Amino acid sequence: MNITASALDRITRCPASHALPQRVLPGSVYRDRGVVVHAYRAAIATGADPDEALLDVPEEHRPWCAALDEAATPRNLAAEVAFAFDLETGIGREIGRNLERDYGELGPTEIAGTADSVGVTVGMPRSMLDIDPPVTVLVEDLKTGAGWQPRAAEHMQLRFLALASARTYGADRAVVRLVRQWPNGLIKVDEHTYEAMDLDAAHGWLRGLMLAVRDTRDRNAGGRLPDVHEGAWCRYCPASRTCPAKSALVRQLATPGALPMIPLTPDNLAAAHRLVKEGPGLLKEIGAAIDAYVEQDGGAVKLADGSELRRVWNAREKVDAVIVDQVLARLYGHAVADAAVTTE
């Protein structure tokens, strides 16, 4: 199975997450929201009127779209551009646009990914000795919600898109922008520039990552447990249910005889003390693994005893009046916003 760009931040930190058996994660409200917001942003990037485009957005997702400011809704850029980059040949290509992540048939050493927005600029020659003018490619990616995301300079998905787009369009420089929309409506833009040498280094990094995945897969096939690295990237990992770290956590607390028994003795006192110190953190990690399991199953899991484990969200007791005022004004006009919200 080919690696795709959206998984690179996780795979870079834990190659085993792509080498272990995978499962297709079901859809969720977060993914639905992300698809809608990206479609709205793509419409504006290609010239649509924001207010008219907002009418095509399902009502439950309109506040997220309405909260996007000008910095998060670029115009006159190509939208939803899919790229492929071949690790062996170093050649990039544009697969198409608005493909909804359907990349078709890829070569055995190709990685594919989609950029939300792409632009290309051609500058003036730096000197009379320059035959070709410098070409810069701009790549933007929007992330909604409060989930874990690295900064632009450390964002491996954007690093790949910088490389793939630069090789596709013959650019010697790439500027990447990570646009984050937080649940409270706050928009943050983080930017990083890749020069020609940085792009060459990115190609070397990708080749090394592919070798790490192959080595981990060979270890697993040979019956040896792969090295796994846990962190925030585990939340939506498609290999979480076969991850040795997750199963070890459960076994450590659930296996009979694995815990020190009462009465305490000098022989088991050290183990009992270690459990008291490490137990709360261990339980927290198991709780996070359970949350991820339920969320990956669409928010509810049928248990063996016939009951159901379901994730329940608590409603917010407070909202930001300024943001509510901005959203209402965008959706229904300033008269409605002024009548509904007091920001003094």
Side-chain angles (χ1 to χ4, degrees):
M1 180 174 64
N2 291 72
I3 294 175
T4 56
S6 59
L8 284 172
D9 284 285
R10 168 175 47 80
I11 297 172
T12 299
R13 290 159 177 83
C14 181
S17 66
H18 190 73
L20 290 166
Q22 311 281 297
R23 65 186 291 265
V24 178
L25 302 181
S28 69
V29 63
Y30 314 110
R31 292 189 182 185
D32 292 344
R33 181 187 67 205
V35 170
V36 170
V37 174
H38 278 79
Y40 170 78
R41 191 171 182 265
I44 294 176
T46 52
D49 178 78
D51 294 328
E52 292 181 2
L54 197 62
L55 297 176
D56 295 329
V57 175
E59 188 172 352
E60 65 269 24
H61 299 304
R62 284 184 185 176
W64 283 82
C65 295
L68 292 173
D69 58 17
E70 291 186 4
T73 50
R75 298 174 182 270
N76 302 318
L77 295 177
E80 296 295 313
V81 184
F83 296 98
F85 178 77
D86 193 305
L87 297 177
E88 294 300 323
T89 66
I91 296 175
R93 62 185 177 94
E94 182 179 319
I95 303 173
R97 304 183 183 185
N98 299 301
L99 300 180
E100 298 182 355
R101 275 57 179 176
D102 182 6
Y103 299 122
E105 185 175 350
L106 298 173
T109 56
E110 280 190 317
I111 295 177
T114 299
D116 292 346
S117 306
V118 179
V120 179
T121 58
V122 180
M124 296 294 293
R126 299 181 182 90
S127 71
M128 296 188 64
L129 298 178
D130 284 341
I131 299 176
D132 298 318
V135 178
T136 300
V137 62
L138 169 66
V139 174
E140 292 191 346
D141 196 52
L142 170 69
K143 302 295 183 184
T144 62
W148 170 77
Q149 293 290 337
R151 292 184 57 84
E154 302 165 350
H155 207 288
M156 299 299 107
Q157 180 181 4
L158 284 174
R159 191 180 191 188
F160 165 81
L161 291 171
L163 173 63
S165 60
R167 295 295 187 258
T168 298
Y169 302 131
D172 50 9
R173 187 170 181 264
V175 178
V176 297
R177 287 180 188 157
L178 176 63
V179 182
R180 295 213 61 181
Q181 183 184 20
W182 296 86
N184 64 359
L186 181 67
I187 304 292
K188 290 257 187 171
V189 180
D190 188 19
E191 184 175 296
H192 182 70
T193 299
Y194 288 94
E195 303 293 350
M197 291 182 63
D198 301 322
L199 295 172
D200 291 338
H203 185 190
W205 154 71
L206 275 175
R207 289 174 62 91
L209 182 61
M210 180 65 76
L211 291 175
V213 169
R214 290 175 181 172
D215 178 67
T216 304
R217 187 175 289 133
D218 291 342
R219 285 174 57 88
N220 190 51
R224 293 176 294 169
L225 287 178
D227 294 329
V228 294
H229 305 278
E230 294 183 277
W233 48 88
C234 296
R235 189 169 187 83
Y236 298 107
C237 177
S240 62
R241 296 190 182 179
T242 56
C243 175
K246 303 303 180 189
S247 57
L249 286 173
V250 177
R251 285 197 303 271
Q252 188 169 348
L253 288 182
T255 302
L259 303 180
M261 302 297 291
I262 295 177
L264 293 174
T265 69
D267 292 333
N268 63 18
L269 193 61
H273 181 262
R274 185 168 59 252
L275 179 64
V276 169
K277 301 292 288 185
E278 299 177 359
L282 193 62
L283 289 171
K284 185 176 180 180
E285 290 186 52
I286 293 175
I290 292 172
D291 287 344
Y293 190 109
V294 173
E295 192 166 326
Q296 289 178 2
D297 257 31
V301 176
K302 289 287 186 182
L303 304 180
D305 62 1
S307 62
E308 185 177 75
L309 186 61
R310 177 181 293 273
R311 187 163 193 178
V312 178
W313 294 96
N314 294 322
R316 289 176 55 123
E317 296 181 357
K318 297 181 180 179
V319 294
D320 191 313
V322 174
I323 295 173
V324 172
D325 181 73
Q326 293 173 347
V327 172
L328 288 177
R330 178 73 179 278
L331 291 173
Y332 307 109
H334 290 285
V336 172
D338 293 341
V341 181
T342 299
T343 59
E344 294 179 356

